[in-house]
Amino acid sequence: MVSPLIGLVFPSRCGVCGRHGVSPCGPCGLELVQTSRTDPRWVRLPVGCASIHAPFEYHGAARELIRSAKYRSNVAGLAFAAGHMVRSLGARADSNDVVSRIDVVTWVPTSPSRRRKRGFDQAELLAAHVALLLGVPKVRLLQHVRDPGSQTGRSRIARLQRSHTQMFVPANRAGFGCFDTVLLVDDVVTTGGTLSAAVRMLKDNGSNTVHAVVAAATL
């Protein structure tokens, strides 16, 4: 955990262009802001999810920022992404005031092997930032118990066929009954298979409504 924490407090390079300084740097941050999307209807809704929100397309600067966190431990840019994730929650006029209804923030956990390799879970770090900005508790509700292998480079059909191998179990059974409306956080959504599996586990264990917010989504 030491490396990502140092990167969070003392960022040395932009997660997009590699320039020394904050992450993202001024020009890259401006590019991200200019390409952000405010209408969540462009993201495919996962099964069982009440709504899904994503400020960025998983492309260009947003893709580099997320990959820098996941594969190079440059997690400082996740705070920037989380700010736009929170902003996207209230972007839609018919959102029924999603933010005020949220009881808890949780996240889609990465596999144990990936967490051990990286030393952190990027979705958990995003959830921590989002919960802090919203002023609601962050609670670990899910545990990832099966590693399906990397999804990178797989077609949408192949991803969906493997989604049943993404298995989650309750990490905190006592907590489920306390939270009626859950905000589920992840870094990227592609087919929605992983998010759907996580939503199903949350609802099977007592959560009535699950909203999702991710940093970026693929078209």
Side-chain angles (χ1 to χ4, degrees), residues 56 77-87 125-130 133 215:
F56 304 115
L78 296 182
F80 176 91
H84 284 271
M85 290 163 70
V86 170
R87 178 175 174 269
L125 294 179
L126 282 171
H129 288 300
V130 168
L133 290 170

Side-chain angles (χ1 to χ4, degrees), residues 14-17 19 22-36 56 61-62 65 77 80-81 84:
C14 171
V16 180
C17 69
R19 179 182 303 176
V22 297
S23 181
C25 67
C28 291
L30 181 60
E31 179 183 349
L32 284 161
V33 170
Q34 291 175 337
T35 58
S36 65
F56 304 115
L65 191 72
F80 176 91
H84 284 271

Side-chain angles (χ1 to χ4, degrees), residues 8 12 15 28 32 34 46 56 68 76 89 96 100 122 144 154 162 171 175 185 190 197 200 208 218:
L8 180 62
S12 59
C28 291
L32 284 161
Q34 291 175 337
F56 304 115
S68 180
L89 288 172
N96 294 320
S100 69
Q122 68 280 355
H144 197 322
R154 296 183 183 275
R162 292 175 64 87
V185 173
T190 302
R200 182 168 60 249
N208 289 322
T218 58

Side-chain angles (χ1 to χ4, degrees), residues 110-116 144-151 162 165-168:
T110 191
S111 67
S113 62
R114 289 173 186 159
R115 186 183 181 101
R116 287 193 298 270
H144 197 322
V145 293
R146 183 180 296 176
D147 189 346
S150 176
Q151 297 276 53
R162 292 175 64 87
T165 65
Q166 290 270 15
M167 292 187 63
F168 301 98

Side-chain angles (χ1 to χ4, degrees), residues 120-140:
F120 62 96
D121 183 336
Q122 68 280 355
E124 181 179 4
L125 294 179
L126 282 171
H129 288 300
V130 168
L132 182 64
L133 290 170
L134 292 177
V136 298
K138 174 184 78 77
V139 178
R140 179 184 177 90

Side-chain angles (χ1 to χ4, degrees), residues 96-111:
N96 294 320
D97 198 11
V98 170
V99 172
S100 69
R101 297 170 183 267
I102 295 168
D103 298 315
V104 68
V105 173
T106 194
W107 64 96
V108 178
T110 191
S111 67

Side-chain angles (χ1 to χ4, degrees), residues 42-43 52-59 62-63 66 81 85 126 186-190 213-218:
W42 71 281
V43 188
I52 184 167
H53 308 259
F56 304 115
E57 181 183 344
Y58 189 56
H59 176 75
R63 180 176 182 272
I66 294 170
M85 290 163 70
L126 282 171
D186 205 358
D187 57 348
V188 179
V189 60
T190 302
V213 62
V214 298
T218 58

